[in-house]
């Protein structure tokens, strides 16, 4: 099956710094990538949808200036958590799709962000 | 509003016992439906999916799920659970976006 890789798998950063998470589709071209956030022992919540070459579409309540998403190529999308604070600590998961539908997407292994 | 509900937060079964994890959905039309499994600290692995056609869907690792329109359900089943099946299971539904249920944590006792 298709492989989606996230990097890093985990990261610890100081409060106030920015952190970049990468999501790569290794063996297919991803027209659309989806970013999810998962709080401990909770479900996944869609944060935003990104399409290659255009601005991301953010879900209601997600601060686009806080969570910068770039989808510069068909194999790479990045999520940058800017001026991170402890409440941003979470598990972030991306998925990538050749088409526009989340139903066709494959998930990455996730990134554990801890802000201290 | 569209929603996916997993009524059971935590289920414990003995190894070798049968398993059924419940999932109910609420959509205007029949959505695409999925079951994913997540091991601690890991991403999601797709177990199976239903788009249309045969309402009994076979997946990986011996899992199956049955779509029942009359009950708005898509329950996941396995006839004999292995200790390695212990994980978090998520039901999801949608079309252009996926809505996830809150998950069911499966614990397996030897």
């Amino acid at each position: 099956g298709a492989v989606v890789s996230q990097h890093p798998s985990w990261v610890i950063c100081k409060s106030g710094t920015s952190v970049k998470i990468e999501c790569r589709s290794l063996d297919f071209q991803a027209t659309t990538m989806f970013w999810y956030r998962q709080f401990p022992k909770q479900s996944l919540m869609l944060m935003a949808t990104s399409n290659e070459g255009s601005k991301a579409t953010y879900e209601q309540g997600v601060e686009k200036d806080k969570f910068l998403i770039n989808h510069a190529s068909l194999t790479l999308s990045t999520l940058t958590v800017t001026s991170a604070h402890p409440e941003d600590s979470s598990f972030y998961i991306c998925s990538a799709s050749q088409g526009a539908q989340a139903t066709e997407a494959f998930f990455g292994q996730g990134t554990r962000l801890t802000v201290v | 509003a569209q929603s996916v509900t997993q009524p059971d937060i935590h289920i414990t079964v003995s190894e070798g016992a049968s398993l059924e994890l419940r999932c109910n959905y609420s959509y205007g039309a029949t959505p695409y439906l999925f079951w994913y499994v997540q091991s601690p600290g890991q991403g999601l692995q797709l177990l199976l999916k239903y788009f249309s056609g045969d309402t009994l869907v076979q997946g990986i690792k011996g899992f199956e799920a049955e779509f029942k329109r009359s009950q708005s359900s898509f329950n996941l089943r396995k006839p004999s659970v292995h200790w390695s099946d212990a994980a978090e299971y998520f039901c999801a539904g949608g079309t252009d976006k996926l809505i996830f249920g809150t998950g069911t944590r499966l614990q397996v006792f030897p």
Side-chain angles (χ1 to χ4, degrees):
Chain A
V3 179
V4 176
S5 177
Q6 273 184 250
H7 178 80
S9 297
W10 59 271
V11 58
I12 301 173
C13 70
K14 291 184 178 181
S15 188
T17 62
S18 295
V19 175
K20 180 182 288 187
I21 302 170
E22 294 185 346
C23 179
R24 293 182 184 272
S25 56
L26 299 186
D27 51 2
F28 68 99
Q29 292 187 322
T31 302
T32 311
M33 288 190 174
F34 304 86
W35 287 95
Y36 298 84
R37 182 174 180 176
Q38 185 180 29
F39 290 101
K41 299 184 179 181
Q42 295 189 28
S43 189
L44 281 76
M45 301 299 293
L46 179 65
M47 299 175 65
T49 302
S50 73
N51 295 102
E52 186 266 337
S54 61
K55 290 184 177 180
T57 301
Y58 290 81
E59 295 300 301
Q60 191 172 7
V62 178
E63 300 175 63
K64 58 183 179 183
D65 295 330
K66 174 74 171 175
F67 300 99
L68 300 179
I69 292 173
N70 183 277
H71 192 162
S73 78
L74 284 172
T75 60
L76 174 64
S77 177
T78 59
L79 167 67
T80 302
V81 183
T82 62
S83 186
H85 288 90
E87 58 265 30
D88 299 324
S89 299
S90 192
F91 195 60
Y92 293 89
I93 305 178
C94 74
S95 68
S97 173
Q98 285 184 290
Q101 307 297 326
T103 53
E104 305 165 346
F106 298 90
F107 283 84
Q109 75 273 30
T111 298
R112 169 77 58 196
L113 170 62
T114 302
V115 184
V116 297
Chain B
Q2 299 174 341
S3 66
V4 174
T5 304
Q6 292 179 250
D8 305 305
I9 297 173
H10 186 202
I11 283 183
T12 301
V13 298
S14 298
E15 190 170 20
S18 63
L19 172 71
E20 182 170 30
L21 302 182
R22 295 184 292 167
C23 174
N24 294 97
Y25 67 90
S26 175
Y27 277 84
T30 301
Y32 297 162
L33 295 164
F34 304 80
W35 275 100
Y36 293 91
V37 60
Q38 183 183 37
S39 297
Q42 300 295 312
L44 274 68
Q45 181 180 22
L46 178 66
L47 290 175
L48 48 80
K49 59 187 176 183
Y50 172 77
F51 285 179
S52 64
D54 193 344
T55 56
L56 186 61
V57 182
Q58 301 298 321
I60 62 172
K61 302 185 178 184
F63 286 93
E64 66 178 26
E66 186 171 11
F67 169 68
K68 293 185 177 180
R69 185 189 304 275
S70 61
Q71 299 177 19
S72 297
S73 69
F74 188 58
N75 294 350
L76 182 71
R77 301 193 295 247
K78 186 170 185 178
S80 178
V81 172
H82 190 262
W83 64 266
S84 60
D85 292 324
E88 188 86 19
Y89 291 80
F90 290 97
C91 181
T95 52
D96 56 335
K97 298 179 182 178
L98 282 181
I99 297 175
F100 285 83
T102 49
T104 298
R105 180 166 298 277
L106 175 64
Q107 193 170 8
V108 181
F109 280 118

